Structure formats: structure tokens, C-alpha cells
Amino acid sequence: MLIDVNTYIGNYPFRPIRNNSAKELVELLDDHNIDKACVSSLSGVYYRDVMKGNYELLEDIAPYRERLIPICNINPVYAEAASDLKECIEDLGFKGVKLFPKQHGYDLTDDKSLEILKMAGGYGVFVQLPIYIEDLRQRHPMDIMYPLSGSEIKKAIQLATDTNFILSNYSFGAFSGAFKTLNAVQRGRIYYDISRLECLNKNYIEEVFKFTDRDHLLFATGAPLEYIDVQLIKLNFLTETLGLSKSDVD
């Protein structure tokens, strides 16, 4: 079964997006033989109250719950963040939490952020940290200027000891130094998606296997903001170049 762990529906303030409804996203998955996808609200990232985006997400994906797995956006510095997370997990059926520290203006190691990280660990759901939403080299002047730093993520992981993390849009060149040493201690709690791992000019996917394993490397596309086909090429790379079996990749 092929599961995409990082997709969005909704609108983006900096450019028009195609295939950004639940119906269109499922059709996109069908076109690329992807069985399921973790999905969050792109619109909600930019709402003052992110819960509005979470509610919109649930309404839109309701006919497709067998295909689309809801991931909630939480803003720890919003006054109702803890109760929002409680509602999302206990009442609404969200399966993970996405945080956007740069967009929402806080540090991952702030007290309020750590409260959310530890709550997620207590619920047994993962925390997903997109390093950025799309490549900042083409950023709009009103978009964030810098991605999450490896050192900030590392400190948060060390402080939230019961929480599993998915790092999305992870750039090996920028973050490998921090996580090579971190995984020696925290192995099993950190998962990496392949969406920004280069494998053609430089074989960064093979480099990642030096400090993690195939069970902690996840398929992700960033759709519909990014093209799915680019990530499917990497699955062929895993089997044809690195020698993994199809069952290993699945």
C-alpha cells in the first residue's frame, strides 16, 4: 500500500493551486496509483484561528475518509490551542498534528509549543513539521524568509521525549549534521519524508540510510503544491539503484 504522508487541500495565499479540493486530490491519487494520503488544510495555516481550517477539511473529505487521513493544524500560541488539540484527537478523529512555527511566529521549544508536542505524544499521534511549505527561493515577499533550523527541531525532539516526529520537505544538505547524531540517541522517533531528498545528481537517499532505516523513510509529495511524478521516480530509485525489494518500498 502506497501512502502519501504530506498533502494539502484548500487555498494558498501566494499563488493559485489546482487540484486543491478533496475530490480533485483523490482523482490525482488515482491517476498516480496512490492508495491513501495524509491531508491537512492549506487555507487553515493562514487563518487567525486554524481550527476553522480543520473543520473545513473534515467537511470536504467526508465522502473520502477511506482514502484521506485527516491531520490537524494547531497553533500553540493561540489561546485555545490545548483544547483545540483535545477536540481534534478525542472528538473529531484526526490522526496527527501539523505545526508551522515560522508561519505562526513561535519557537518549537517555547513552553506553549512543548505543551502541544507532549500532548501529542500522550495521545500517541505524530507531530509533523514541514520545514517549509514550498521552496523559499521563489518566495513571495509576504511569505516566511527562513525555514525551520535543524538545531531548533533537534532541541524540541530531545525535550518531547514521548513524541514521534515526521520531518517533511527535509533538506539533507541543510540538516544532516544535526540528525546524524540525534538518531543515535532518539532512533525510532524520527521519520523523514523523501520529498526533498535528492537522488540523481547527489545520492542523499542513500546517505540517509546511514543513520536511519527504510521503516523511517516515508513517501510524500506535497501535492497539489508539488508534482507527484517527481517523487514516484524516487521509488524506482529505491528498487533499481539501492536494491530494495518492492515489498520493502511498500
Side-chain angles (χ1 to χ4, degrees):
M1 177 177 291
L2 186 58
I3 300 176
D4 186 341
V5 300
N6 188 33
T7 70
Y8 298 92
I9 61 173
N11 297 311
Y12 191 49
F14 305 118
R15 65 178 174 92
I17 302 294
R18 295 179 298 172
N19 302 311
N20 62 336
S21 69
K23 180 178 183 296
E24 292 168 317
L25 179 61
V26 168
E27 290 172 352
L28 201 60
L29 299 180
D30 288 340
D31 289 342
H32 292 85
N33 297 314
I34 298 172
D35 298 289
K36 295 186 178 185
C38 296
V39 63
S40 61
S41 170
L42 184 59
S43 305
V45 177
Y46 301 93
Y47 289 169
R48 183 168 54 191
D49 179 359
V50 297
M51 280 297 287
K52 303 297 184 184
N54 293 332
Y55 295 141
E56 289 175 357
L57 177 79
L58 289 181
E59 182 177 359
D60 198 13
I61 71 170
Y64 311 100
R65 286 298 290 268
E66 76 282 359
R67 302 288 304 281
L68 300 179
I69 304 164
I71 310 301
C72 63
N73 297 336
I74 295 292
N75 180 359
V77 296
Y78 191 72
E80 301 298 322
S83 61
D84 286 347
L85 179 56
K86 182 177 184 294
E87 179 184 359
C88 283
I89 304 303
E90 293 187 6
D91 301 330
L92 299 179
F94 283 90
K95 304 303 181 183
V97 181
K98 245 180 187 175
L99 300 184
F100 298 88
K102 292 299 183 184
Q103 285 81 1
H104 295 153
Y106 63 88
D107 192 289
L108 270 175
T109 58
D110 290 347
D111 289 344
K112 291 181 178 179
S113 177
L114 287 174
E115 179 185 8
I116 296 301
L117 294 178
K118 292 176 180 178
M119 280 184 66
Y123 280 121
V125 299
F126 62 80
V127 171
Q128 190 165 13
L129 300 174
I131 309 306
Y132 42 70
I133 293 177
E134 66 173 358
D135 196 329
L136 296 181
R137 291 173 295 183
Q138 56 191 14
R139 62 178 290 274
H140 186 281
M142 294 181 68
D143 200 358
I144 63 171
M145 294 182 65
Y146 303 104
L148 275 171
S149 71
S151 59
E152 182 179 343
I153 296 170
K154 179 177 178 178
K155 290 177 183 176
I157 290 173
Q158 290 173 319
L159 290 169
T161 55
D162 295 323
T163 306
N164 292 320
F165 292 83
I166 295 177
L167 304 186
S168 291
N169 289 347
Y170 166 90
S171 167
F172 181 83
F175 298 96
S176 60
F179 297 114
K180 280 181 180 178
T181 56
L182 183 61
N183 258 343
V185 179
Q186 310 287 353
R187 190 179 184 90
R189 295 178 48 232
I190 310 170
Y191 296 79
Y192 306 89
D193 84 31
I194 66 172
S195 59
R196 291 287 174 180
L197 291 178
E198 189 175 345
C199 65
L200 297 179
N201 292 327
K202 297 181 180 179
N203 191 352
Y204 284 144
I205 291 183
E206 189 170 30
E207 289 295 311
V208 169
F209 282 123
K210 294 179 180 179
F211 60 92
T212 191
D213 55 45
R214 63 179 175 81
D215 291 332
H216 292 82
L217 202 64
L218 305 177
F219 177 75
T221 66
L225 287 157
E226 307 289 346
Y227 292 112
I228 292 178
D229 303 84
V230 176
Q231 309 311 324
L232 292 174
I233 290 173
K234 295 176 185 178
L235 297 185
N236 290 331
F237 174 85
L238 289 171
T239 55
E240 296 180 9
T241 304
L242 294 186
L244 274 67
S245 68
K246 187 178 185 302
S247 61
D248 286 336
V249 173
D250 291 343

